[in-house]
Amino acid sequence: MNKDQVFKLIEKEEARQKKMIGLIPSENHISPEVSSVLSSSLSSKYAEGYPRRRYYEGNQIIDEIELLAQERIKKLFNVPHANVQPYSGSPANSAVQFALLETGDTMMGLALSGGGHLTHGHPKVTFSGKYFNSVQYGLDKNDRIDFDQVHELASKHRPKLMIIGNTAYPFVMDFERFRKIADEVGAWVLADISHVTGLVVTGEHPSPVPHVDLIMSTTHKTFRGPRGAMILVTQRGLDRDPKLAEKIDQAVFPALQGGPHNATTAGIAVAAAEAMKPEFKKYGQQIRKNADTLAKALQDRGLKLVGNGTETHLMLIDLTNYSKGMGLQVAFAMDVAGMYANRNTIPHEPVSPFYPSGVRLGTPMVTTRGMKEAEMKQIADWIARVVEEVKDEVLPSDKTERRTFIKTFRAKALQNKNLLAIRREVETMASKYPLFTWGK
Ligand code: DSN
């Protein structure tokens, strides 16, 4: 039988990933073991409910798998309860909010413009901004979380839930300081550590466990597992409300979800076992070394970084010294040149999320492939050459002219000889690295 067209497309996608360099901080390459679990017969089973409390028969083995995933995650993070069923980060954050808040209750989160997430209360367009009274905090003049503002807003609005978490904040999160403020107003604290979970496991980022009630994390970023999420309840959270774990479980199922994705659950169990290995510790350390090296090399080449650097796996190039709204042009040109990243707003974004002024970069994927400091310097050099190539492509201030400008810019960039020359160099280097390695 001829292979379905989808398989040909998968081969193409794998080839694309191999010959390009992935710099999106929220992506990673999974191990062959996680990958094999994801395409197993576990996908063929319904398992609504929780282990030993299912609504379908035939779940004896699925129960063992889910219990194994729970046990490994609890051990890894040293928490008394883990729910591994959320389909992804946004449903998991909604489950926490659903478990703790009533419609109209007040919650606080880091604004998107400061590197927070949509589900942390972004107004108008998200459930968290629509159904709850959302108060958003931001960054100080050094682009760090503005704890004075957090304190002021918390005292004024007395939120029931305070979220500390990020998607584009390059610095370490001070959970202890956040907790102290939350305690003054009696708020629950949720840490969304999706981006830094792998770094928390390896000790490269402080753990939120002693300071928060709940932790939410996706499992596919620095944790390097399948696309999914988990909600952890800490001892502190359980001490405050012995029913907290039960409330979380009920919010995930039946309140918000149906049957869990069993193959993903198994993938989380495998990823947790991988994260316990000494090699994973080295992986976390190398992510950080690579991030520091990439950040410094970019700055040496004259590029400006938000907050002047990074303390994690990610960094944001601030392109406003060239012109406002340059993120799309640079991210597109990088893609033409063989390196994929994403355009991103910068703190106090002067244009808009669609035409932002920054590009977000991260080192989890390149580190998984086995690249080290020397390769980071080379990548920084290529990025600087890309920026140089497109820096005069200024976004029109007239909104109606923007679409035509972008269309013309894209067509030109695809033919740009210098970008295509960089692409050949990138491909030569990238093709020497497998997608996944345990490193040396
Ligand atoms: N989409 C994720 C990221 O790129 O950071 C967050 O949900």
Side-chain angles (χ1 to χ4, degrees):
M1 204 170 78
N2 280 342
K3 265 193 172 178
D4 187 277
Q5 195 189 350
V6 166
F7 293 98
K8 292 193 189 122
L9 291 172
I10 292 173
E11 276 165 23
K12 271 188 167 176
E13 170 60 10
E14 186 159 334
R16 182 197 71 81
Q17 290 185 17
K18 278 187 183 149
K19 66 185 183 194
M20 292 185 81
I21 289 177
L23 292 165
I24 295 178
S26 48
E27 294 182 6
N28 215 330
H29 300 291
I30 49 175
S31 70
E33 288 73 20
V34 171
S35 177
S36 124
V37 160
L38 289 177
S39 57
S40 68
S41 54
L42 302 177
S43 286
S44 317
K45 189 76 197 86
Y46 248 121
E48 273 167 298
Y50 287 100
R52 303 194 185 108
R53 291 179 284 141
R54 306 283 188 187
Y55 290 81
Y56 293 74
E57 299 308 323
N59 275 310
Q60 297 83 351
I61 317 284
I62 300 292
D63 279 2
E64 282 186 54
I65 289 170
E66 188 167 339
L67 288 169
L68 194 59
Q70 288 174 358
E71 286 313 312
R72 286 182 183 171
I73 292 296
K74 286 196 289 186
K75 187 168 166 207
L76 198 55
F77 291 90
N78 193 20
V79 291
H81 184 77
N83 186 311
V84 292
Q85 291 195 5
Y87 297 148
S88 207
S90 298
N93 275 337
S94 53
V96 171
Q97 290 162 35
F98 199 81
L100 298 177
L101 307 176
E102 301 295 330
T103 314
D105 276 351
T106 300
M107 60 172 249
M108 261 176 77
L110 177 61
L112 202 58
S113 58
H117 192 252
L118 285 165
T119 55
H120 298 176
H122 189 65
K124 292 185 188 146
V125 293
T126 71
F127 78 92
S128 58
K130 270 182 160 174
Y131 298 111
F132 305 113
N133 174 34
S134 161
V135 177
Q136 302 256 276
Y137 58 91
L139 305 181
D140 63 18
K141 60 180 183 349
N142 298 316
D143 299 320
R144 306 299 203 273
I145 289 177
D146 185 344
F147 280 97
D148 291 336
Q149 190 196 27
V150 173
H151 189 249
E152 196 185 308
L153 291 173
S155 313
K156 183 170 169 202
H157 298 280
R158 305 196 75 79
K160 214 165 162 183
L161 170 66
M162 290 173 61
I163 305 175
I164 178 161
N166 60 352
T167 64
Y169 179 72
F171 304 108
V172 157
M173 290 176 278
D174 189 341
F175 301 117
E176 191 173 0
R177 196 163 171 197
F178 197 76
R179 173 87 238 182
K180 280 195 185 125
I181 299 173
D183 277 346
E184 283 184 32
V185 296
W188 291 102
V189 176
L190 164 67
D192 178 346
I193 60 167
S194 297
H195 263 266
V196 293
T197 318
L199 301 180
V200 167
V201 168
T202 62
E204 297 297 313
H205 188 289
S207 169
V209 172
H211 308 294
V212 307
D213 305 297
L214 294 146
I215 296 165
M216 195 296 289
S217 178
T218 50
T219 47
H220 47 271
K221 298 187 172 90
T222 49
F223 191 60
R224 212 163 58 181
R227 299 195 77 85
M230 54 195 174
I231 302 173
L232 317 181
V233 180
T234 64
Q235 191 55 50
R236 194 175 176 132
L238 273 190
D239 289 344
R240 178 163 171 188
D241 180 356
K243 289 216 152 90
L244 187 58
E246 215 177 295
K247 285 180 186 166
I248 290 296
D249 286 352
Q250 278 175 4
V252 174
F253 173 85
L256 291 164
Q257 293 190 178
H261 296 174
N262 308 312
T264 301
T265 308
I268 292 174
V270 173
E274 291 179 352
M276 286 172 194
K277 292 185 181 197
E279 292 91 326
F280 194 80
K281 170 116 186 131
K282 279 198 191 152
Y283 171 60
Q285 289 166 341
Q286 193 63 45
I287 287 180
R288 281 287 305 120
K289 283 186 204 160
N290 283 352
D292 282 344
T293 307
L294 181 61
K296 176 156 188 320
L298 288 167
Q299 288 173 310
D300 288 348
R301 290 295 312 256
L303 289 161
K304 192 173 153 196
L305 297 184
V306 166
N308 284 323
T310 175
E311 293 168 353
T312 61
H313 61 301
L314 75 82
M315 65 208 72
L316 273 173
I317 304 179
D318 173 349
L319 296 157
T320 48
N321 50 341
Y322 299 102
S323 67
K324 292 171 187 161
M326 279 286 290
L328 192 151
Q329 296 89 300
V330 171
F332 187 84
M334 279 178 65
D335 195 56
V336 175
M339 298 168 284
Y340 55 106
N342 68 281
R343 65 185 192 270
N344 213 99
T345 51
I346 55 166
H348 317 293
E349 173 59 52
V351 188
S352 81
F354 196 75
Y355 298 107
S357 304
V359 169
R360 190 180 65 153
L361 305 173
T363 53
M365 271 195 280
V366 286
T367 309
T368 291
R369 296 185 72 174
M371 295 181 198
K372 293 193 170 165
E373 288 90 327
E375 289 74 33
M376 297 308 113
K377 288 180 190 159
Q378 176 60 75
I379 291 169
D381 185 59
W382 284 324
I383 294 172
R385 281 165 59 192
V386 169
V387 174
E388 198 54 35
E389 202 53 37
V390 298
K391 69 178 193 319
D392 297 326
E393 297 286 349
V394 178
L395 184 79
S397 50
D398 182 329
K399 286 189 184 161
T400 50
E401 281 176 29
R402 285 181 181 170
R403 264 191 205 180
T404 322
F405 163 80
I406 292 296
K407 210 170 149 197
T408 315
F409 164 75
R410 282 185 167 140
K412 263 195 307 180
L414 286 168
Q415 308 291 330
N416 181 306
K417 288 200 174 66
N418 293 338
L419 295 179
L420 295 173
I422 298 172
R423 186 179 186 104
R424 284 192 292 278
E425 292 175 40
V426 169
E427 286 186 1
T428 305
M429 185 178 101
S431 55
K432 291 186 189 141
Y433 292 87
L435 287 183
F436 183 92
T437 162
W438 274 109
K440 289 186 198 120

